[in-house]
Every structure is written in structure tokens, then in C-alpha cells.
Amino acid sequence: MRVVEACQRRGVTARERRFTSTAVAGLTYLLVAGLACEGRSLSGSAGAGGGGARAAGGANPGVSRGTGGSGDVGGAGWGGSGGSAGRSGSATATGGMAAGGAAVATGGAAGAGPAAGSGGARPVTATDVDSLARACVPGTISPGRSPLRRLTSYEYDSTVRDLIGLSMSPSTGAPFSMAFPPEVYAVFTNVADYQSVSERLVEAYLEAAEEIAVAALPQLGMLVPSCDPATMGAMTCATSFIGTFGKKAFRRPLTTDEIASYQDLFVDGSADGTFEAGIAEVIAAMLQSPHFVYRVELTQPAPGDRSVPVTPYEMATRLAYFLWSSMPDAALFAAADANQLATAAALEAQVQRMVGDARAHDMARRFHSEWLSLYNVVDASRDPGLFPSWNSQLSTDLLTESETFVDGVFWGDGGLATLLTAPYSYLNGNLIDHYGVSARGNPTTPTAFVRVGLDPAQRAGILTQGAFLVGQSFSTRTSASQLGTFLRERILCQVVPIEPPDIETSVPEPAPAGATTRQLLEMSTAASKCRSCHLLFDPLGFGLGNFDAIGRWRATENGSLIDASGEIVGALDPATNGPFNGPVELMKKLATSGDVRACVAVNWFRWSSGRVESLPDDACSLLAINKQFEAAKYDMRALLPAIVTTDAFRYRSPGGTP
Amino acid sequence: MSAADRRSVVGTPSAPSRRIFLRGAAGAGLALPLLTDLVPGRARAAGSAPFPKRLVILFSPNGTNQADFFGTGDAKTLTLGPILQPLASHKDDLIVVDGIDEPAAAASPGDPHGAGIGCLLTGKKLQRGSLFPSSSGGAGSGWADNISIDQLIAQSIPGTPLRSLELAGKRTASSLWSRMSYRGPADPVTPEDDPQRVWDRLFAPPRVAGHRKKILDNVRRELSALGAKLSGDDARKVQQHLEALTSLQARVGAGSPPAKAPPRPTVTQTSAVPVGASGQQEANAANDLDFPKVLKAHLDLVVGALTCDLTRVATVMMAPSASNLVPSWLTFNGAPITEGHADISHASASDSAALMKLTLINAWYAQQIADFIASLKAVPEGPGTLFDSTLIVWLNELGSGSAHSHTRLPVLLAGSAQGYWRTGRYINIPSGTYSMNDVLVSVANAMGVKPTATDDALRTYQNQFGDPQFCRGSLPSLSGG
């Protein structure tokens, strides 16, 4: 416990970094604290008196606390800056920990009665379901923040496809003039707080809108059915178009003022040209409208209220972008028209309908790819001397493997345990060769991806597949630190302490003959000041030591046997902690870990809401999601209806933060 | 196919084409006054306006070898340290500022690199956050919490087709380490890393189109109406969209590119994104071989943009914070350097060879700046050169590379900003007195901008920047002339 805490205290004393001598003194302190317990006594001590409570806080560096201040995207709980403990907002639990006080939970539970003031209570964290239960006040409606969301590049492309009926990807440029600028994101591309608009994006919107408008013109018959401008009058048809197309583009009926302004644009466009030119001008303008590029929600609570249900059209839009990353379809529009999205049962029925659509499959693939940074594999380069077989086809195939696997698992039995432990994957001939999988009993085909049984002593689920492994390795080697840090942050939802300055980070040179990656790492982190923190993540990465930098199995490295044993420390769920040997045992531990289950749930919550959870505001929403996940025996599909029936999804809070 | 090429393909005569949007504007573009050529100071060409001042902020990462950077001197003299020797021919145009700390970074969440770069031009502690991987400077931090000084200055001196230009020598992920400029809190500017795209943006601006004006006006009306109904962050977001649109509208009407634009660069960005969004970087010399060429192309484009008065504010992240690029074109003891910059920087506390390599690397960056200055001096402007109106600032996110400290950061100013301050001297700031924020205030003042800072209690401080607790105001020893 103290190991974790000790490393975190590095951050507490950020001020120390100003002067080297002080920083060194701080490190010495860590070193002593770190060695004192060797990280072996982390589990089960929560609540054992004041000291124990503090340690619990340290062990679970609360991933995300409330966002009181504007733009404060979920405070990290580990007390990186004691000085900021007083920051506005009710939900920051950092103060207690940073100060090293005993009652770490009080800050986090402010305003949530039940947990406040209980000295032994742990802070409210998304991966601590008990803490969520304490913080949730039944009978209140608490939607959390509802920031203005802009279409991501992917959502923009999907929306245009569904709106115009043409398959295009304007955001990537081709076949258009100008790609959208790279997105500003962290983990997920749909984090609303990071979705500002640059001049370059506005220009790309302009270029894309014009080109889409032109591409849409041949579709006009479909977009404005049964209207012939020659016989019915150009303005009549244009107005009909503005109303029907506009409602789809803005995802709600247009106001009379809006209809009038688009009529003006039609007149301008058609004045020296044709009907089509006028329509093109309308389309180009609508596609640049804030009501198209943002998911505008304007409903405000009644005076004195803290929340308001979203309107039927807003709900249709929320459902569509959550489950499809695209605009509502005709059925959702019809349901909104008839105000049939107001009950939990109606929402669940929509989820059941919508998951049958291919767009839901695309969405699930995308969620997993962003959550697990699988797209890294696409950009990965490998040293041709060490990995002569590496090429772009292989990287593409590895991504397809994991995407196909997600498809198969998520829409198969849906089990989180299957995702993390399945002894099979989906391979084509190229990958069967790459992995050196025996073709016996497995159909081999050069291109199609088929389910292939793998050695159950070697492979277990998506984190033992090439896309993930390559994405977290370097061009010449694997890195247990990188892999372990990723597991700690993205799979256990904990925050890893920063690397202290003034350290030698490179591996010893010349490398001793026959040394494995693990041995080199252990040599270079032998100093206690390194080790106290590396104990948090390296052992997790050691568990994946049997895979090389392109995801192939290896029993030896440089002639030495791989040691893939390790130990998980610092998880909240005591059952998660403890030793394991090899990737399969590691994955089995993770697959049944309470921390991992709650971490998956909160990642889905973040994906659905475009923001980091704010606690305790979102405690009831997260609690409900976790409970339904548990009731469904951790079938990940249960998260979808669970999320759409939360307060966070059905309500909005007063617009913006001041 | 380049964007410029594609533009010429789009609108070929098949059925409906984007000419729809250009109708009514036919010929209008040609009728607009052309920028005749690389005549400096476009604003001046019209009449008697003075030459505009320009600001270029250059960044190189990972701290320095302080003993070799600062040199010595006083209010009248300057003796360059080894790192700055490549700038010897420009010595009389330099000011070395010794003793500047970055207290905002020291007090900020985030790792030393992330806090250092995030706070460098913003002067406030980073936001807190939980989404950034620790291996890219996150560790409990979010993005910066303030507009950066370059953006603030750019906002204050409108009138050019591009408010500002942000460039990066390496391809980067969306991470704290690789963003320096911010339009506002948590709103980093993504720098352009590919010289060809920079050229397209500078010298192939949007075509003039009659109908575009009406469409963009409609977008503007809708944005304004929407913004009026929102508050807080949502309103700010829409306001930024509106400002971006304003800049675009100005460019849409700006006419054709200069007739004698510099040639489109032949070099493109070839480096790979570091491992994922995590930013964790390995030393991989192959990934960095083109870096010198790419950086030079970028700096040449800055010269071109300033010459044509397309923008007056540029920032160049020569390499991202914590960059581990391998300067294999440099030799040490007769052999190419094979380690990465960050690894060398880390090791330089105890390893004298590493410390010498750190000096070599920083001297190489100094050489690029020397070449850049020489290019500016080669562009005549009125009785002098473009350099006379340009202020160059070279910064780093750390002081000591080995300690990763936020004290005694290497600060180099080049150019007098039209005589605003006297160059050819060394300024020694007593430790703990003036901070990076104060340097930024001085820079803003030199550009004719007086920033204000607001504290947590919403009190406003004139001519301060960032967090007032880390700011005293402009450096008196600097602005004294």
C-alpha cells in the first residue's frame, strides 16, 4: 500500500521539483517508504483505522473525481498538487490524500451525505462500486454535466453517409480537397471538452460541405421525393426540401425563421442558375450550420430545478450517436415525433432494435479500438532487420483480427470474460502464418477471417492479440513498463505516478549477453527509487513477456527462457491481487476482477457521455450501470440499455458551467 | 495528390460541379489586387504604415546544459556559451536572459515535461484530468488552463490572412507533450507538421466565391444566435468557432496568393507518431533521419509567410517535449550519436559524455536558429531587413535537462522588435524574482500588447499574464532599452 502511496506522493510535492536538491530529498523519502513494505500488503487493509483508510486511498488513485471547475476533466485522485485542493467544485477528493490526512473520502463525498465524514470510508471512485452505492442518493435526479458535443470526424462521415445516402469519408480528405485536421482527444475521440473548432476545421467544413452538396444533387429525387419544380413551383419544392432535409440535418424540425433564411439562400443560389444550384447552396449552408456539426441541446430546467428531461428529438439523437455514431434513422424520428422515447421501457426497446443494425457493430468495434488504442497498430513501424516479415498488410490484418474478434465476442456471448480470455481468434491465412498457428483442424484461407482455435496455454483474449501488443511495443522491442502502465491505466482505471526526474532511463549498455527484456528492465530499475513505482506496472507487463514486438509467441528471448510470472498489487478488489504465471493466468485474473469490470463500465459511460464522470453527481448512474452489468453476469451488451436509462442519459443539467 | 492539385481536379466540367459556388465570383478573384511578389511588408505597400512587427517563438525540448548555455556578460556585453556559439555572427542581436524560473509548471500537476510545456506559454497550472496516460505527461493533469501568449498576441494584431502559424518538426499524437499553443483553456492548437500542407495553407488560400460569402454569413448568424442561448463552456466553444469563422471569412476574401510564392517544399513529414496517444518514445534513428530537412523547410516557410505578411505570429515546436529523437547526424568522439535526446537528457546528471552530447544537441538547435536569423536578414524591408521587425524567442520546457527542473530555463531573445529593446547583452535575473510569465509579458509589450491576468477571486491585474501569483510584470531590466 505504501508503495503506491509513496510514488503518488511524488506528485504531491510538485513544488519540490523547483529545486533539485529538494526533489532528491523527496525521492529519498519515497525510497524509504517504498522499501518499507515492498508492496505486498496492499489488499484487505482498507478501512483498518485511519492509516488503513489513507492507504486505501493511495492504492486506488481515484481515476476521476468531480469536475467542479470549468474544463476540469475529472480530477485525478492522487494528489498531484496539494495546492489545488481548494479548487472550486464539490467533488474533489484530492485534498485529503495530498495532505496525507486520514479521512480521504470526505472531499469526494461532499454533498452526498452518506459517505461524508466517515473516517474510514474510501473516496468515491468509479471503480469502487461500494463507494458509488454510498454516494448515490436515491430519489434524486442527477444527470451530471451535459457539455455541448460536436460530431467527431467519424461521426461526421457516418452522418453524411446516412443523410445523403452516399458512402463517403469527407473527414479523411479523399476524394475531397481537404482532410479534417487531426482531432484533439484523450483515449476517446469524442471527449466534448476537447472539441473546439480551429480555423483549419472551419475551412475543411466549408470545402466538404460544398463537395457533399454537389455529390448530393444526383440524389435529389430521393431527397425531395414527389416534387417537380417545373409544375409545382421552384419555391414550393425548395421549401419542401428545406423542411424535410433540414429536419434530418438538424435532427429536429426547423423553426420558421430558419426556414425563411434557407429560402433566402435558395433564392441566392438559384438566381443566376438552376433549381439544383439553389438546393446545393441550402445543403452547403446546412452542413456548416452549428445545428449540424454540434448536437445542440437547448432545453433548460425550470427555475429552481437542477435537471430537465431531454426532448424527444434530443433523445433520438443521443441514442443514435451513442449506438450508431450517426444520425437518427426514420424509426427514431418517428418515435420522437410521437413522443415515444420518454420511458425506460421505450428506450430499452430502441436499444434492442438498434443493436440489430450494422452501425451498432461498427460502433462496438470502434469503442474497443479507441479504448484499447488498437489503431496504434496501423501506424506502427518495425525494425526491418529484426522483424523482416513486418509490413503494412500485416498491420492491417492484425487490426482486422481484433475488430473481427470484438464483433464475434460482443455479439456472440457478449461476455467480458470471453473478451479477455477466449482461447480463439479470427485469422486469415496471412495471420495463421504470422502467428505460426497450426492449421490442423483450422480452415486456411488467404484472405477471409475465420474463427481459429489457439493454444489455450498461450493466448487468452484481445490483450494477447497482435493489434494490442504491437500498439504498446516499440519498433525494436517490447516494453513491460509500457504494457503494464497501459493495463494499470486503461484496464484497471488507475493513475500511474509520474516518472521522477534525474534518473537514467536507458537500458544498460552494452546489454549483457543473453539478457531478456525483463532482465534488462529489472537491471535498469534496480535502484529503489525506480523500483518502488515500477512495481506497480512492470509485473503486469511481465505477464505478456511471451509475446514479441509483433505479437508472436516466444518461449525464449536471446536464448534465455522467458519469465512471465508477476503479481498484481494495488487493486481494490482483493481477489484481483496476487501472483500469476504467464499471460493466460494474468488474463484470467483480470477477467474476473471487480476493478476491471467497473473500469469497463466507466469506459462505456465515458464513451456514451463524451465526458469523464463527475462524482458524486454520476454516482447513481454509474451504480445502476454496474448493477445491471453484474445482473447480466457481465455480458457487455447489458451496458447499453443500462446506460440509456441512467439519469446522465435521460436528463440534462443547466447548460454549461459558468 | 496534393490538396492544391486536387483543387484543380475538382470542378472539371462534368455535370453539376462546385462551380456552382463559384458562379458570380467568376473573375472576381482575378480582379482583386494581387500580392505582386515577395514584396515585404504588404501592409506598407499601400502607404505610410510602419512595417509590422513579427513574433516567432521557437521551442526545443528536454532542458539544456545550463553551464554551456548562458555564457556571461552584463548590460552592455555578451559572451556566448558553447551552446550559443553557432549564433556568434548574430551576437549583437541577442539577449540572453539568465535566472528565469517557471513557477507555474513547478506547482502544476503533470510530469515535469508536460507541466513545463503546458505552462510555458500559458503561465498557469495545468487543469487536472484523468484521461492522459502518464507516459505522455499526463499523470493527473489535463490540458493547459489558459490562452497562450502567442495566441493572445495574434488576436491583438489582426489584419493578416492567417492570425498565426503553428508548426511542428515531428509528427505527434494528441498529447500534452506535443502542444504548446492554446486558444484558451483546454483548447490546444494542433500544429501543422507537414511542410507541404503548410505551403498549401499559406500560398493556396481558399478560392474567392460569391455564394460562399452568403453561406458563411448564414453560418455566422446561426452561431451567434446559438451562442447567445448558451453559457459557460458551451458558449465559449461556440465563440471560438465564431472566431475561427471570422478568420476564414477574411481569407476567403483575401484574393490570390503571391505571384512569386516560394516553391512548394519537396520534403514531407515522414516521422511516425509515437506509440499511440501515450507518446512514449523510443530512440529510433530511422524515424528521425528527415528531421533536419523538415525543420529547415518549416523555418523557410516561416520566412516566406512573414515576408509576404501572411501572418505576424508563428510558433515552431522544433521537436515535442520529451522528444527522444536520435540526432544521428551529430558526431561525438568521431561516432554518430545513437541515443535519443530524452534518454541523453535523463542521463546527463551522472554521465559526462551525455552532458557533452546534450550540449551538442542544443548547439545544433542554435545553429538552426542562426540560419533562420540569417534568412530573415536576407529579406530587404525598407531601409533594413525583415529581421529588424522580427522578435525571436527560443524557449525550453525545462532548465536543467538532467534534473528536469523548472528553474533557470534557457531563454534567448533575438531581434530588437524595431528597437523596442537593446540587444547584445546578458541579463541576470536574481533567482526567484522574475518568472517565465514576466518574460511573456515583456514579449507581449514588445509586440505592442498589454495582457491582463485574473486571479481566482476574479481580480484583474494590468500588464500581467497567466496566474498573477507567478507574475510581477515585464522585466524592467529588459524593457529599459
Side-chain angles (χ1 to χ4, degrees):
Chain A
M1 186 70 66
R2 264 173 263 156
V3 171
V4 186
E5 179 197 23
C7 292
Q8 288 155 357
R9 293 181 75 98
R10 261 300 305 151
V12 174
T13 54
R15 192 168 301 211
E16 291 173 4
R17 283 188 234 129
R18 290 196 65 182
F19 302 101
T20 310
S21 55
T22 326
V24 170
L27 285 170
T28 311
Y29 167 75
L30 295 182
L31 163 67
V32 173
L35 285 181
C37 69
E38 288 289 326
R40 293 296 191 271
S41 59
L42 285 165
S43 59
S45 64
R54 185 180 63 162
N60 177 33
V63 167
S64 35
R65 301 289 156 62
T67 61
S70 63
D72 181 353
V73 187
W78 54 277
S81 167
S84 72
R87 191 171 175 128
S88 69
S90 60
T92 308
T94 51
M97 235 167 69
V104 289
T106 49
S118 62
R122 300 192 296 207
V124 183
T125 41
T127 50
D128 181 352
V129 179
D130 291 343
S131 77
L132 296 173
R134 285 198 311 273
C136 171
V137 182
T140 60
I141 293 171
S142 177
R145 296 167 59 226
S146 316
L148 178 65
R149 302 178 68 173
R150 182 168 59 74
L151 303 189
T152 65
S153 292
Y154 179 73
E155 290 168 343
Y156 182 99
D157 289 352
S158 307
T159 303
V160 166
R161 176 199 63 206
D162 292 343
L163 183 63
I164 309 291
L166 292 175
S167 189
M168 299 181 285
S169 52
S171 74
T172 60
F176 295 158
S177 335
M178 190 177 291
F180 291 8
E183 295 182 289
V184 174
Y185 66 95
V187 184
F188 295 121
T189 51
N190 65 8
V191 180
D193 286 338
Y194 302 157
Q195 292 178 325
S196 68
V197 168
S198 64
E199 186 195 336
R200 192 172 151 200
L201 180 60
V202 173
E203 184 177 356
Y205 279 158
L206 166 70
E207 298 274 344
E210 292 180 356
E211 297 183 35
I212 294 163
V214 169
L217 289 181
Q219 313 279 321
L220 267 189
M222 192 190 76
L223 297 172
V224 236
S226 64
C227 201
D228 179 5
T231 57
M232 301 174 69
M235 185 52 91
T236 305
C237 283
T239 305
S240 165
F241 175 80
I242 290 166
T244 52
F245 186 82
K247 180 179 173 184
K248 287 198 277 183
F250 291 5
R251 302 159 214 118
R252 57 162 174 81
L254 269 57
T255 65
T256 47
D257 284 353
E258 285 169 338
I259 290 172
S261 68
Y262 285 97
Q263 284 173 329
D264 286 350
L265 285 168
F266 171 76
V267 169
D268 180 66
S270 58
D272 53 346
T274 59
F275 177 78
E276 283 75 15
I279 293 294
E281 185 152 332
V282 169
I283 295 174
M286 282 185 177
L287 295 185
Q288 294 174 71
S289 166
H291 298 284
F292 175 75
V293 299
Y294 294 98
R295 292 160 51 183
V296 176
E297 296 178 343
L298 286 173
T299 338
Q300 290 299 318
D305 284 357
R306 291 198 59 237
S307 63
V308 61
V310 297
T311 69
Y313 293 108
E314 291 167 357
M315 177 54 83
T317 300
R318 285 187 172 199
L319 285 168
Y321 282 94
F322 170 36
L323 295 170
W324 288 347
S325 305
S326 187
M327 60 180 284
D329 66 350
L332 276 171
F333 273 118
D337 290 339
N339 192 18
Q340 286 171 346
L341 296 170
T343 66
L347 297 176
E348 286 165 354
Q350 283 293 343
V351 172
Q352 289 317 311
R353 180 184 74 84
M354 293 173 70
V355 296
D357 189 285
R359 284 169 286 195
H361 288 238
D362 291 343
M363 180 281 294
R365 281 196 295 268
R366 193 160 190 91
F367 165 81
H368 287 89
S369 295
E370 293 195 6
W371 169 42
L372 301 174
S373 294
L374 300 183
Y375 295 128
N376 285 4
V377 73
V378 178
D379 278 328
S381 63
R382 285 297 177 267
D383 185 315
L386 294 172
F387 303 103
S389 65
W390 183 255
N391 57 43
S392 62
Q393 184 61 48
L394 192 51
S395 64
T396 305
D397 285 350
L398 288 173
L399 180 61
T400 306
E401 176 202 356
S402 288
E403 288 183 333
T404 312
F405 178 78
V406 165
D407 245 356
V409 170
F410 196 87
W411 307 106
D413 72 10
L416 170 60
T418 312
L419 183 76
L420 294 178
T421 62
Y424 59 83
S425 188
Y426 293 79
L427 309 178
N428 64 1
N430 192 23
L431 292 187
I432 283 174
D433 291 345
H434 170 67
Y435 286 125
V437 176
S438 161
R440 264 179 305 135
N442 292 319
T444 54
T445 129
T447 51
F449 285 75
V450 294
R451 179 166 155 166
V452 174
L454 303 172
D455 184 341
Q458 294 185 354
R459 304 271 174 177
I462 193 162
L463 300 178
T464 64
Q465 293 172 3
F468 169 74
L469 295 164
V470 170
Q472 301 302 323
S473 298
F474 298 144
S475 77
T476 56
R477 62 181 175 89
T478 56
S479 164
S481 299
Q482 175 75 19
L483 285 162
T485 302
F486 189 96
L487 296 180
R488 181 68 66 177
E489 292 181 332
R490 215 70 72 81
I491 307 297
L492 290 165
C493 284
Q494 295 181 339
V495 173
V496 169
I498 59 173
E499 183 178 295
D502 208 6
I503 51 167
E504 163 70 73
T505 56
S506 49
V507 294
E509 290 197 43
T516 63
T517 304
R518 173 176 189 153
Q519 287 163 341
L520 289 174
L521 180 62
E522 287 178 332
M523 277 179 243
S524 65
T525 59
S528 307
K529 68 177 179 185
C530 304
R531 198 171 154 70
S532 59
C533 282
H534 275 261
L535 274 176
L536 287 176
F537 39 88
D538 287 353
L540 288 168
F542 291 149
L544 296 169
N546 283 117
F547 304 109
D548 71 8
I550 56 175
R552 295 177 303 195
W553 178 264
R554 61 185 177 192
T556 62
E557 185 186 5
N558 298 326
S560 302
L561 273 180
I562 295 282
D563 175 4
S565 65
E567 179 177 7
I568 303 178
V569 297
L572 275 184
D573 176 1
T576 308
N577 293 314
F580 59 83
N581 188 9
V584 175
E585 283 188 22
L586 169 61
M587 290 306 147
K588 284 186 173 162
K589 282 186 85 66
L590 294 176
T592 54
S593 160
D595 297 61
V596 176
R597 288 164 173 165
C599 184
V600 171
V602 77
N603 270 291
W604 273 101
F605 177 85
R606 293 170 180 177
W607 170 258
S608 71
S609 59
R611 63 178 174 88
V612 170
E613 65 284 3
S614 20
L615 292 171
D617 290 351
D618 289 316
C620 293
S621 292
L622 284 172
L623 180 65
I625 296 166
N626 276 289
K627 283 191 161 173
Q628 292 183 53
F629 196 22
E630 181 186 12
K633 297 189 167 54
Y634 305 103
D635 181 333
M636 296 177 289
R637 291 167 296 188
L639 294 166
L640 309 180
I643 284 170
V644 305
T645 50
T646 57
D647 287 354
F649 204 87
R650 297 181 63 189
Y651 296 84
R652 42 181 279 109
S653 52
T657 39
Chain B
M1 185 191 288
S2 73
D5 294 338
R6 273 193 223 110
R7 282 190 181 140
S8 61
V9 171
V10 172
T12 41
S14 62
S17 78
R18 297 182 68 214
R19 288 178 192 284
I20 286 170
F21 299 100
L22 304 176
R23 280 179 308 99
L30 297 175
L32 285 173
L34 294 177
L35 281 178
T36 50
D37 58 10
L38 290 178
V39 168
R42 185 163 59 94
R44 169 147 180 107
S48 58
F51 295 109
K53 287 185 180 180
R54 285 86 157 195
L55 172 65
V56 181
I57 299 178
L58 301 154
F59 169 84
S60 66
N62 299 340
T64 191
N65 178 358
Q66 289 162 319
D68 284 355
F69 180 88
F70 289 105
T72 58
D74 56 30
K76 296 195 185 315
T77 61
L78 172 62
T79 305
L80 297 175
I83 286 174
L84 296 183
Q85 281 305 324
L87 286 149
S89 61
H90 308 298
K91 191 175 72 130
D92 292 343
D93 301 310
L94 308 179
I95 304 175
V96 173
V97 188
D98 185 353
I100 293 297
D101 298 347
E102 199 189 352
S108 172
D111 87 321
H113 290 287
I117 187 67
C119 302
L120 188 63
L121 299 186
T122 60
K124 286 175 90 168
K125 289 181 286 189
L126 302 178
Q127 295 185 349
R128 306 190 60 73
S130 56
L131 289 175
F132 290 179
S134 64
S135 50
S136 67
S141 66
W143 296 109
D145 200 24
N146 192 23
I147 188 173
S148 58
I149 197 74
D150 59 303
Q151 298 296 301
L152 186 76
I153 292 170
Q155 283 182 4
S156 309
I157 45 173
T160 51
L162 288 175
R163 283 270 183 93
S164 59
L165 190 61
E166 298 82 18
L167 307 180
K170 298 291 288 183
R171 212 173 146 215
T172 56
S174 174
S175 80
L176 190 53
W177 282 349
S178 47
R179 300 291 180 266
M180 178 166 77
S181 295
Y182 287 79
R183 280 178 292 263
D187 188 8
V189 180
T190 302
E192 183 59 76
D193 59 40
D194 182 65
Q196 293 188 343
R197 280 209 305 269
V198 175
W199 188 93
D200 291 345
R201 192 160 154 65
L202 286 169
F203 299 109
R207 293 152 305 169
V208 182
H211 292 284
R212 279 187 161 175
K213 189 175 176 314
K214 246 187 119 79
I215 291 172
L216 292 178
D217 283 344
N218 194 66
V219 176
R220 161 172 297 283
R221 274 194 303 276
E222 291 186 340
L223 275 168
S224 302
L226 176 61
K229 292 178 188 163
L230 301 173
S231 61
D233 289 341
D234 294 349
R236 268 194 291 278
K237 209 179 280 183
V238 169
Q239 180 60 31
Q240 274 160 357
H241 192 151
L242 205 48
E243 286 164 10
L245 184 73
T246 303
S247 303
L248 178 67
Q249 285 181 300
R251 290 173 61 218
V252 163
S256 301
K260 288 185 186 171
R264 195 163 184 268
T266 53
V267 56
T268 60
Q269 180 63 261
T270 55
S271 65
V273 176
V275 171
S278 75
Q280 184 94 344
Q281 299 189 55
E282 61 174 334
N284 177 6
N287 196 31
D288 304 319
L289 290 177
D290 286 341
F291 171 69
K293 279 187 286 187
V294 170
L295 180 57
K296 175 156 192 346
H298 276 320
L299 292 174
D300 287 349
L301 285 165
V302 172
V303 175
L306 298 183
T307 303
C308 298
D309 202 24
L310 298 174
T311 191
R312 293 172 192 172
V313 176
T315 52
V316 184
M317 288 190 86
M318 296 193 280
S321 180
S323 161
N324 210 14
L325 72 83
V326 182
S328 57
W329 52 90
L330 298 177
T331 54
F332 179 73
N333 278 350
I337 293 179
T338 56
E339 306 94 333
H341 186 178
D343 290 339
I344 290 170
S345 166
H346 271 279
S348 60
S350 51
D351 179 345
S352 61
L355 199 57
M356 285 186 266
K357 289 175 190 169
L358 197 57
T359 290
L360 278 176
I361 293 170
N362 280 283
W364 183 82
Y365 281 113
Q367 180 66 57
Q368 311 316 303
I369 294 169
D371 294 348
F372 177 62
I373 292 173
S375 298
L376 294 172
K377 285 181 174 177
V379 179
E381 185 169 83
T385 72
L386 178 56
F387 178 74
D388 299 334
S389 296
T390 306
L391 171 55
I392 297 166
V393 186
W394 180 25
L395 298 175
N396 199 304
E397 88 277 32
L398 299 173
S400 155
S402 60
H404 281 46
S405 63
H406 295 120
T407 51
R408 217 181 156 210
L409 271 65
V411 176
L412 179 77
L413 306 173
S416 69
Q418 298 177 348
Y420 181 80
W421 50 44
R422 194 164 42 74
T423 55
R425 58 193 174 124
Y426 167 92
I427 296 177
N428 191 11
I429 303 291
S431 180
T433 57
Y434 286 89
S435 72
M436 184 57 70
N437 294 35
D438 302 315
V439 173
L440 300 181
V441 172
S442 294
V443 167
N445 290 169
M447 295 298 294
V449 175
K450 297 247 190 240
T452 55
T454 307
D455 67 11
D456 288 345
L458 300 180
R459 285 180 297 244
T460 300
Y461 298 82
Q462 297 301 321
N463 212 31
Q464 293 204 17
F465 181 71
D467 188 332
Q469 68 171 309
F470 305 129
C471 191
R472 299 178 58 162
S474 63
L475 276 69
S477 48
L478 187 53
S479 50

